[in-house]
């Protein structure tokens, strides 16, 4: 988790430099893009850099478990779906 | 005349009881405005207290950003510290992350943020969240339901969406009741404010 607060930069609640923050942000975005590509089938796990492969495989597995749970939606969204987005 | 010392010239006779009462009135007004109960020595503390009083009315605020390290399901409670020292009256959370819809599972939505007004419970408090990859929509009619400690849509139902109310030191990112995600790598900006005076 990355945070900024009052001009300071934090990585998992430890203060870091702006350069460290930017490097971590870049890595997070690359990993998240790869995770989504593997999750949606755009890429195979073998196309993920070996350093990140185990981590991303675990994340993808967790996401698949989460998304397999039935989604609860509110009445408003349910009506919207039934009416085809007419609301 | 005191031995060995000078004495200031006296040119006025005053009613000391009235003078004390008048100074006490002034001190009470200063204490009320400054939010203190301390005793104030005349004139030094009076001067200091008056100089410390800032201009009337306004907002105290705090702000920052939060970036999830990965897509985080929105019913996970994420606590963001703030330094207002009391529960904010106003909260905005937003992101400028625009989804690449080809990159996201079509069945899963993303949280873009929310707006919360503590005192305006009579108004629909719009909560922008849970945007599906295939359609953009906002949920309306979020409000603090009677007896609830949460900002809710569809209160009283089993599928109520909820955001925890902020506390004196923590702002929450949390939405219960839907499998939407706070997007990994998306920078969520938060702003909290409270009225003073």
């Amino acid at each position: 988790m990355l945070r900024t607060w009052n001009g300071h930069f934090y990585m998992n609640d430890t203060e870091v430099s702006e350069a460290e923050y930017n490097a971590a942000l870049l890595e997070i975005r690359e990993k998240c893009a790869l995770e989504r590509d593997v999750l949606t089938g755009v890429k195979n796990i073998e196309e993920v850099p070996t350093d990140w492969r185990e981590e991303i495989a675990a994340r993808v597995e967790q996401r698949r478990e989460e998304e397999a749970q039935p989604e609860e939606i509110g009445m408003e969204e349910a009506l919207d779906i039934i009416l085809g987005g007419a609301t | 005349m005191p031995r060995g010392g000078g004495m200031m010239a006296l040119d006025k006779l005053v009613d000391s009881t009235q003078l004390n009462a008048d100074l006490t009135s002034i001190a009470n007004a200063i204490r009320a405005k400054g939010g203190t109960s301390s005793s104030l020595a005349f004139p030094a503390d009076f001067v200091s207290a008056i100089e410390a009083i800032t201009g009337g009315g306004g907002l105290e605020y705090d702000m920052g950003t939060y970036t999830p390290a990965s897509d985080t399901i929105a019913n996970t409670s994420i606590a963001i510290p703030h330094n207002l020292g009391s529960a904010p009256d106003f909260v905005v959370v937003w992101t400028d992350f625009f989804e690449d819809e080809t990159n996201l599972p079509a069945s899963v939505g993303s949280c873009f943020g929310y707006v919360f007004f503590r005192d305006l419970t009579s108004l629909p408090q719009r909560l922008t969240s849970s945007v599906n990859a295939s359609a953009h929509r906002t949920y309306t009619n979020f409000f603090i339901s009677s007896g609830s400690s949460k900002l809710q849509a569809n209160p009283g139902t089993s599928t109520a969406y909820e955001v925890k109310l902020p506390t004196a030191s923590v702002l929450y990112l949390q939405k219960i009741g839907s499998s939407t995600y706070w997007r990994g790598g998306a920078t969520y900006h938060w702003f909290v404010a409270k009225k003073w005076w």
Side-chain angles (χ1 to χ4, degrees):
Chain A
M1 170 175 74
L2 296 181
R3 290 191 301 120
T4 68
W5 190 21
N6 296 319
H8 296 266
F9 302 88
Y10 299 90
M11 192 156 49
N12 295 325
D13 294 327
T14 299
E15 187 165 357
V16 297
S17 68
E18 185 174 1
E20 289 171 315
Y21 173 90
N22 288 333
L25 182 61
L26 187 62
E27 182 174 314
I28 283 174
R29 289 178 173 173
E30 289 176 0
K31 284 182 176 177
C32 288
L34 284 170
E35 176 187 334
R36 290 169 198 149
D37 283 344
V38 174
L39 187 62
T40 56
V42 171
K43 288 186 176 166
N44 297 319
I45 191 65
E46 291 76 24
E47 297 177 74
V48 174
T50 50
D51 289 353
W52 296 349
R53 195 171 294 171
E54 189 176 335
E55 177 185 352
I56 289 177
R59 282 192 198 170
V60 169
E61 183 61 32
Q62 183 180 355
R63 286 287 301 277
R64 285 178 176 151
E65 289 174 7
E66 287 170 355
E67 290 174 24
Q69 299 299 317
E71 178 182 356
E72 294 180 30
I73 58 174
M75 180 65 68
E76 195 171 302
E77 185 177 13
L79 280 173
D80 207 18
I81 292 171
I82 292 169
L83 296 175
T87 61
Chain B
M1 179 175 294
R3 186 178 300 177
M7 192 170 85
M8 291 174 62
L10 301 175
D11 61 352
K12 296 283 191 298
L13 290 177
V14 296
D15 179 341
S16 63
T17 300
Q18 184 60 49
L19 178 60
N20 285 341
D22 291 344
L23 288 174
T24 300
S25 294
I26 296 172
N28 287 341
I30 293 172
R31 278 189 284 263
K33 208 63 172 172
T36 177
S37 59
S38 304
S39 61
L40 300 171
F42 180 83
D45 290 346
F46 280 44
V47 172
S48 299
I50 291 171
E51 287 176 341
I53 295 174
T54 55
L59 283 178
E60 186 174 342
Y61 71 90
D62 194 16
M63 58 194 302
T65 69
Y66 165 75
T67 304
S70 61
D71 291 350
T72 305
I73 196 163
N75 62 5
T76 301
S77 180
I78 301 171
I80 312 290
H82 68 80
N83 66 358
L84 287 189
S86 63
D89 299 313
F90 175 66
V91 177
V92 176
V93 176
W94 78 95
T95 181
D96 55 7
F97 172 74
F98 292 97
E99 304 172 25
D100 174 0
E101 294 191 2
T102 63
N103 188 243
L104 290 172
S107 62
V108 178
S110 300
C111 292
F112 273 62
Y114 69 90
V115 179
F116 160 63
F117 299 85
R118 175 174 294 282
D119 291 328
L120 304 180
T121 56
S122 62
L123 299 179
Q125 297 171 39
R126 298 185 71 87
L127 193 80
T128 303
S129 71
S130 189
V131 177
N132 291 338
S134 59
H136 294 275
R137 64 191 70 180
T138 62
Y139 286 115
T140 60
N141 300 322
F142 275 72
F143 54 92
I144 302 172
S145 60
S146 176
S148 172
S149 62
K150 301 178 182 68
L151 189 64
Q152 291 185 313
N154 308 324
T157 70
S158 61
T159 58
Y161 299 129
E162 296 180 335
V163 176
K164 275 188 179 180
L165 291 178
T167 70
S169 60
V170 173
L171 157 73
Y172 288 102
L173 301 184
Q174 177 181 16
K175 196 164 74 70
I176 302 170
S178 177
S179 60
T180 51
Y181 286 80
W182 300 103
R183 286 299 168 196
T187 296
Y188 290 88
H189 302 261
W190 58 267
F191 175 90
V192 295
K194 66 176 182 180
K195 299 174 293 186
W196 56 276
W197 280 352

